[in-house]
Amino acid sequence: MTRSTRRDRRGGRPRHTARIAVPALLLAGALLFPGLLPNRPGNLASLVETVLPWFGVAIAALLLGATTRGTKVAVAAALVPLVAWCHLFVPALTAPPRAGPSAFEALSFNVGGTRTTPEAVAREVIATGADLVALAKVPVSAVPAYEKALAAAYPHHTTRNTLGLWSRHPLREVEAMDLGGPWPHAIRAVVAAPGGDTAVYAVRLPSVRVRASEGFTIGPRDAAAAALADRVARDPAPRVLMLGDLNGSLADRGLAPLARLLEAAQDQAGRGFGFTWPAALPVVRIDHVLLRGLTATTTRVLPDLGSDHRPVLTGLRPTA
């Protein structure tokens, strides 16, 4: 009797099959039905929803283990989450570019970090040709420098605390929005954009952290997102554009109130995952362009411009 036969009779290979099959089926379930995951303790389900695309790494490891040491059953089990992953993400990776002209372009950029200056950011922003620019996490002390550097290209602007909105077109009905934090986390303004007046929200929701003692700290962000969604739901404007750092993936249930009301430009016109953070090697998309009454004709994540986030440039036109 060979050594492998003895190992099989003791149940070694069936045991190895179980080690592949059980996590494979759990991964498939989490991919296809993330809403069934409990969010206690530590808001772990929200964290899982944030990193769903990265399940591909675990799936690859399972496939490698199944093909090198497992059985046919193990290989078949490992293919289940692969099929689920492909069903969810391959369309975004292979989507053809949307055709059609843009009426205007909007740029969303969290300028936080210490690797750049207002003057350098302004040069990069102007070079994009964007008609509308939402900047987040602007140091309060640097606001005058941004205003000076962007004034010629963007004669209309408004700022509140660390948020700013710059436009080539007139702004009115400017409103700083209290979303429950110590400072405004959103600005709303009506922009006389090509194609018709558009309510524009420049947003930076409260930050989140992963801590051993608390888990995924999303409470303030989720509360601010719910308050913002309530305001958007009551907004009478036929066209709504939200630009900013939502500090989360739209797959995260904490941002569901916004995701139900507005469409993502990335879903309409993007290709790939569109990761924006951290800028040096993005692993998650937390900077978003959300729409109502508008259609995204193009959207792309720009290269690292010196912040800890990458900017997002989106072409838009009114929905017919």
Side-chain angles (χ1 to χ4, degrees):
M1 182 181 295
T2 65
R3 181 179 302 174
S4 61
T5 303
R6 288 194 300 270
R7 185 174 66 249
D8 288 350
R9 288 189 174 179
R10 287 197 305 267
R13 292 180 71 83
R15 190 181 302 119
H16 187 73
T17 297
R19 292 192 186 118
I20 298 292
V22 171
L25 296 178
L26 289 174
L27 278 174
L31 281 165
L32 294 173
F33 309 105
L36 297 180
L37 297 173
N39 216 21
R40 291 288 184 270
N43 302 309
L44 295 181
S46 283
L47 182 59
V48 168
E49 290 162 344
T50 299
V51 300
L52 281 179
W54 291 101
F55 276 30
V57 175
I59 294 168
L62 286 172
L63 277 170
L64 180 62
T67 54
T68 56
R69 297 179 57 202
T71 64
K72 292 180 180 179
V73 174
V75 173
L79 288 174
V80 174
L82 177 63
V83 171
W85 190 95
C86 291
H87 169 73
L88 291 173
F89 300 118
V90 166
L93 296 172
T94 60
R98 181 185 288 268
S102 301
F104 64 99
E105 288 189 312
L107 181 74
S108 177
F109 191 15
N110 180 317
V111 299
T114 59
R115 296 187 293 124
T116 191
T117 65
E119 293 75 18
V121 170
R123 286 194 297 270
E124 298 285 1
V125 165
I126 294 169
T128 68
D131 301 280
L132 184 66
V133 177
L135 301 183
K137 209 174 180 179
V138 180
V140 175
S141 61
V143 168
Y146 277 99
E147 291 174 328
K148 180 179 178 180
L150 293 169
Y154 300 98
H156 310 281
H157 84 280
T158 182
T159 61
R160 295 292 191 278
N161 195 265
T162 62
L163 289 170
L165 188 61
W166 279 262
S167 174
R168 300 187 192 275
H169 309 289
L171 306 176
R172 70 176 193 275
E173 299 178 27
V174 176
E175 173 190 354
M177 299 181 61
D178 179 5
L179 301 179
W183 60 82
H185 286 287
I187 301 173
R188 180 194 181 273
V190 175
V191 180
D197 287 352
T198 302
V200 178
Y201 292 77
V203 180
R204 176 177 167 249
L205 295 186
S207 298
V208 300
R209 297 287 186 272
V210 179
R211 297 187 174 123
S213 59
E214 301 174 59
F216 198 30
T217 59
I218 57 174
R221 186 210 61 184
D222 287 2
L228 182 58
D230 180 67
R231 178 65 178 84
V232 171
R234 294 182 286 105
D235 198 316
R239 286 168 291 278
V240 172
L241 173 62
M242 185 174 293
L243 304 165
D245 174 10
L246 303 186
N247 271 303
S249 161
L250 289 183
D252 183 336
R253 65 189 65 185
L255 298 183
L258 290 171
R260 284 192 292 265
L261 292 171
L262 303 171
E263 295 186 71
Q266 180 68 15
D267 291 344
Q268 290 187 358
R271 190 168 188 176
F273 296 119
F275 293 153
T276 62
W277 181 89
L281 185 64
V283 297
V284 66
R285 183 180 181 89
I286 62 176
D287 302 273
H288 300 279
V289 178
L290 304 181
L291 317 167
R292 186 178 78 197
L294 294 164
T295 298
T297 55
T298 61
T299 190
R300 59 194 177 97
V301 177
L302 300 184
D304 182 356
L305 301 183
S307 171
D308 56 349
H309 293 239
R310 293 196 181 191
V312 180
L313 180 65
T314 302
L316 300 155
R317 66 167 181 255
T319 300

